[in-house]
Each structure stands twice: as structure tokens, then as C-alpha cells.
Amino acid sequence: MRFLPVFLDLKTGPVVLIGAGELLRAKLRVLTAAGARIRVHAIDGDRDLSLSSEDAARVEFASGDPQAADLSGVIAVVCAGAGDVGVAMSVRAKALGLPVNVMDDLVHSSFIFPAIVDRGDVVVAVGTGGTSPVVARRVREKIEALLPARIGELAEFIGGFRKSINERIAEFPLRRRFWERVIDGPIGAAVLADRKSEADAALKAIADPSAFARADKPEGSVALVGAGPGDPDLLTIKALRALQDADIVFHDELVSPEILDRIRRDTTRVAVGRRVGKPGIGQDAINKRMIEAAQSGQRVVRLKGGDPFVFGRGGEEMEALRAAGIAYSIIPGITAGIGGAADFEVPLTYRHEATRITFLTAHKARDAEVVDWSTLTDTKMTVVVYMGTTAAPAIRAGLFAAGRSPETPVGVFARVTRPDAQGAIGTLRDLPELVRRTNGGPAILIIGEVVRHAGSLRQTPNQIISDLLDAAE
């Protein structure tokens, strides 16, 4: 390690910035974002730096030769696009013992700028010793994705209580355990969920901080997490963090292996879902196991395909957790209807053509028989049917009986967002045959005029319709 990461207190004096053009502006943006006072030597004479009024108040322009400028009180010198002037300023700064950075010049720099993740009171600096800024930026992007957006607010929240709690807990190890329990438990979760008043009240309600820190039984919680339609890259950042933090994950059978691979390696995984026509443990049993795990102090994730609140029985699980007094959170996922529409380029709404969407489910023929299809005949309504492949003939019959045209465009999209995704497009008349063409697997049906706009199929819509017409002759 050639460069030691340090954090410079920018309130102790001004930073001298020397250079020209966009390179100078880029460094100016970094420094103003950090709250620095900056003395700018624009060697090209351009003082139009497009600053906000707040940032402009902390920037002063200096005239004359920067090599002859007074550097007393200056805390650092930065050169960006300064050419030979940068090299000369480096020699002068080093002679005065001032930190100096000459952009893209390690020889004449005594410090370098890292890639920065800025979360307020939490700042992460990533460096590669100046050898590859692009690699540093890529690492920063990964860290950006993993860090909660409000992690800085959590640090600020703890800072507001730190002195008073430290005065009440003398032993350092016990003090550390106290803050670990706060950060990892419901109080920390409340801050990260922007419920700071709730977190504030909960922390103030801890009558004996030492006893709280010594408690052998940690507080458990449950996160109802949407896994999305299958592509692991469609997991939300918040869902990924929940999977990494979990002690135990109860997951549906249809959650893809690639998503399960995102779970921390030492986390217990329990498959609790079931496929249509196959036995499962039942919803009551799932609720019971989640509650017991949380009551034992574990961080529980209930991982569900798509979104927990779209035909995922997340509402029932939420009510069970409420009744048991378990702390819980809801992390939405991309539902299969949205994922499938994007995957096969079907706009679920379209100006003047489709102004409403209805989502429904029909596991079996009897499910389809109880649907009031007469409410779904508006040609400007897109109908998205989940788990409707088995009931496809009954769905078609119901829409026909209600008066929907046999020529209504229909798409059947199976295993959406996955590498083996497959779609078939035709008309309502063809629906059962379209289901057969997608070769099984979880699928959604999209019914409505918007299907005419579909793309991204292995065959074009015209080819599929032509094939079906040929088969009918």
C-alpha cells in the first residue's frame, strides 16, 4: 500500500485549485461537494464554472501567477489541467510541506483522489494507488449498490445518542455490544426505513442500556421480500441487502437458483413453496415457522417470486406477523406481469389504445369460472392473468361468453426474464395452443390490443400467427 487513506478536515483552511477547462471543473465539483473553501487559479481565464449560489459563496478567484501566490494557511494544493504549472506547483508545495495532487501524475503527487461513496456522515474511499481510476470507480459502484441509502442518517442518529449512552455504560466491550444490537435490530431498521421518530422513541425507551447490551436473546424480525420474476439482476438493492443479512430464508420453489445464490453462504435455506398440483406445507405452517424463527431472535427473510403483495399471499403473512407482535418489513419486487411485459416489449398501457390494466389469477378451471368476465371486455383494458396456463380453455370460454372478440390479441410468456424465456403470440381463439407452444413453466397471459406491439420473440408475431393459420387449414 503506497497511499495511506486519510480524511482531510476541510474546515481548517482553503484548498488551492489550479487548472483549466473541464478537468478543473470536475475537481471543483468534488471539492464543493465535500464543503471545501476553494481558491481557484483558472489559468485559461475562464471563470464561468456553473456553480450554485451556495457553492459559489465558498469559492474565490485568484489572479496573478499561482507560482507566486501566498500559500500561508492553505491545507492542500490541487492541479487539474494545469500542464507545466502543475509540476512547478508540486515542487513548491512539497517544499512547504503541503499535500499536493497533480491529476494523472503520481510522480508529482503526494496524495491522490479516491473514488468516493458519499452517504453523509458515512464516506467510503476506494483507491488503486493511482494505477487504475476506472477499476476504483467500478468498485465504488458495487459498494454504492450494497450500502443502504440512509446509512449516513443511521450514523448521525447514533452520534446524537452516543455521548449519553457512553456515560451510562462504562465498559467498552459492553458499549460496543449495545450499539451492535441497536444497528442490527429494529431500531436500526427503523432509521434505514426513514422512521426516525419511531427509532428515537425506541432507543429512549431503553431504561437499562447495560441490560439491553447483555441480553442473550436478540430481537428477531421478518422481511417479506419480492425476488422478482427470475433474473437475479432485477433484485432490488434492498432485497439483496436483506438476503445478505438473513439468518434464515424461507423461499418459494419457483425462486431461481441464481437468486438463491445471492443469499449469504452460511444462511439456512428452507423451501416452503409448492408448485401447482403438488403438495406443500400450507400457509398456516409457513406463518408458524416464520414466527418461531423470529421469536428465537433470528433475522428471517420470506423470499417470494415476483412481488409479495401481487398474488403472493404477502398480505396474509403480514397479518400473521402483526398478530404475533413480530417486527417486519416489506421489500417489494418486480412482479411477473411487469417483468414479462418488459422482457417481450409489450407496453401494458398505450396512449388512446390501452388506458387500464387488470391483474387476476386463475390457477384452475374453477378459478376461471368464478371470475366476472363481463367486467373485462373493454377493448381499452389490458388483462394480465397469472398462473393461467392450466385454466387457459376456461379463460377463453369466459371471455367469449362475455363478448370479447375471438380476434383479441393474446400473448403467453413463460419463464419471463430468464435465459430460457419463451413467448407465443396469437389471438384469443388460439389461447390453448399458444400455451402449448411455450413448453410449460410459470407463465403469464397478456390479453389486449397492446400485444400487437410486442417484440423480442424468437419468432415474429406475424410468423406465429401464420403458423397457426397454416395448422388450422
Side-chain angles (χ1 to χ4, degrees):
M1 180 174 66
R2 175 179 170 184
F3 292 92
L4 176 69
V6 296
F7 289 89
L8 190 64
D9 185 357
L10 296 174
K11 293 182 179 180
T12 60
V15 174
V16 169
L17 175 60
I18 304 163
E22 186 54 38
L23 296 179
L24 179 141
R25 293 187 184 90
K27 282 291 184 281
L28 185 64
R29 286 192 291 270
V30 173
L31 292 168
T32 54
R37 289 187 292 121
I38 309 160
R39 188 179 301 160
V40 176
H41 289 266
I43 60 178
D44 59 356
D46 184 2
R47 297 191 173 190
D48 182 12
L49 301 178
S50 303
L51 296 170
S52 68
S53 57
E54 181 181 352
D55 289 340
R58 290 184 280 107
V59 175
E60 63 172 296
F61 285 95
S63 57
D65 184 357
Q67 298 178 64
D70 180 11
L71 298 181
S72 58
V74 169
I75 60 171
V77 175
V78 178
C79 303
D84 292 339
V85 175
V87 175
M89 285 302 299
S90 170
V91 173
R92 186 177 176 212
K94 288 179 178 178
L96 294 172
L98 289 175
V100 59
N101 172 266
V102 181
M103 188 174 177
D104 292 332
D105 187 345
L106 291 178
V107 172
H108 293 98
S109 297
S110 62
F111 77 94
I112 58 177
F113 278 84
I116 297 170
V117 179
D118 184 1
R119 291 286 195 276
D121 283 355
V122 174
V123 178
V124 180
V126 181
T128 59
T131 59
S132 181
V134 173
V135 170
R137 287 199 297 271
R138 288 291 181 262
V139 174
R140 180 195 65 194
E141 289 166 7
K142 299 292 185 183
I143 295 172
E144 288 268 17
L146 291 172
L147 280 181
R150 295 188 177 90
I151 190 71
E153 295 176 31
L154 179 58
E156 182 183 13
F157 173 83
I158 289 172
F161 285 92
R162 186 180 178 191
K163 182 178 180 181
S164 63
I165 294 296
N166 289 358
E167 289 173 349
R168 297 167 67 188
I169 304 177
E171 305 93 332
F172 178 77
L174 198 60
R175 191 184 300 165
R176 181 178 60 194
R177 173 60 182 150
F178 174 89
W179 289 119
E180 286 174 349
R181 290 202 63 199
V182 167
I183 292 169
D184 295 336
I187 295 175
V191 176
L192 296 178
D194 200 25
R195 303 196 305 271
K196 280 180 279 190
S197 59
E198 175 187 325
D200 186 83
L203 201 151
K204 288 178 178 176
I206 299 173
D208 187 343
S210 295
F212 177 85
R214 289 192 182 96
D216 294 328
K217 183 179 177 182
E219 296 176 78
S221 61
V222 176
L224 303 179
V225 177
D231 182 350
D233 287 340
L234 293 179
L235 275 172
T236 66
I237 294 170
K238 198 169 185 179
L240 182 59
R241 286 199 298 266
L243 294 180
Q244 288 292 304
D245 289 342
D247 299 310
I248 184 169
V249 175
F250 297 99
H251 64 88
D252 287 345
E253 289 283 355
L254 293 178
V255 175
S256 69
E258 293 80 9
I259 289 175
L260 296 178
D261 284 344
R262 304 296 176 95
I263 300 170
R264 199 178 69 246
R265 297 301 179 194
D266 59 343
T267 298
T268 302
R269 305 180 190 184
V270 182
V272 295
R274 67 182 182 89
R275 295 176 184 267
V276 175
K278 295 185 178 181
I281 72 170
Q283 188 61 53
D284 289 343
I286 294 172
N287 294 346
K288 183 173 182 291
R289 295 182 71 173
M290 285 195 302
I291 290 168
E292 289 175 346
Q295 288 174 336
S296 72
Q298 297 186 78
R299 289 169 293 189
V300 181
V301 164
R302 174 69 173 102
L303 186 63
K304 312 170 79 67
D307 181 272
F309 283 2
V310 181
F311 305 123
R313 305 189 76 167
E316 298 172 46
E317 293 172 347
M318 177 187 68
E319 294 292 348
L321 295 169
R322 279 182 184 170
I326 301 297
Y328 66 88
S329 60
I330 313 296
I331 302 178
I334 296 174
T335 188
I338 302 298
D343 206 14
F344 290 93
E345 302 172 19
V346 179
L348 294 181
T349 62
Y350 202 93
R351 191 166 54 139
H352 306 312
E353 187 174 299
T355 57
R356 291 194 293 162
I357 309 170
T358 293
F359 295 92
L360 61 92
T361 181
H363 278 273
K364 302 174 183 177
R366 65 172 175 267
D367 296 328
E369 290 168 1
V370 300
V371 175
D372 184 0
W373 296 105
S374 65
T375 64
L376 305 174
T377 56
D378 182 356
T379 58
K380 290 189 176 182
M381 176 189 295
T382 301
V383 179
V384 181
V385 184
Y386 288 67
M387 299 167 281
T389 55
T390 302
I395 293 169
R396 179 181 64 175
L399 286 169
F400 279 177
R404 194 97 186 210
S405 168
E407 303 305 318
T408 301
V410 172
V412 179
F413 306 110
R415 304 172 298 281
V416 298
T417 76
R418 302 181 187 183
D420 62 341
Q422 192 172 1
I425 286 179
T427 65
L428 188 55
R429 178 188 292 110
D430 310 318
L431 181 54
E433 173 60 23
L434 297 176
V435 169
R436 286 190 287 272
R437 291 172 68 92
T438 55
N439 299 317
I444 59 164
L445 319 179
I446 301 180
I447 303 168
E449 295 300 316
V450 291
V451 177
R452 298 185 189 277
H453 300 283
S456 189
L457 288 173
R458 301 187 193 283
Q459 290 179 282
T460 67
N462 288 338
Q463 286 175 316
I464 294 173
I465 294 172
S466 176
D467 290 347
L468 290 171
L469 291 175
D470 289 343
E473 291 179 354

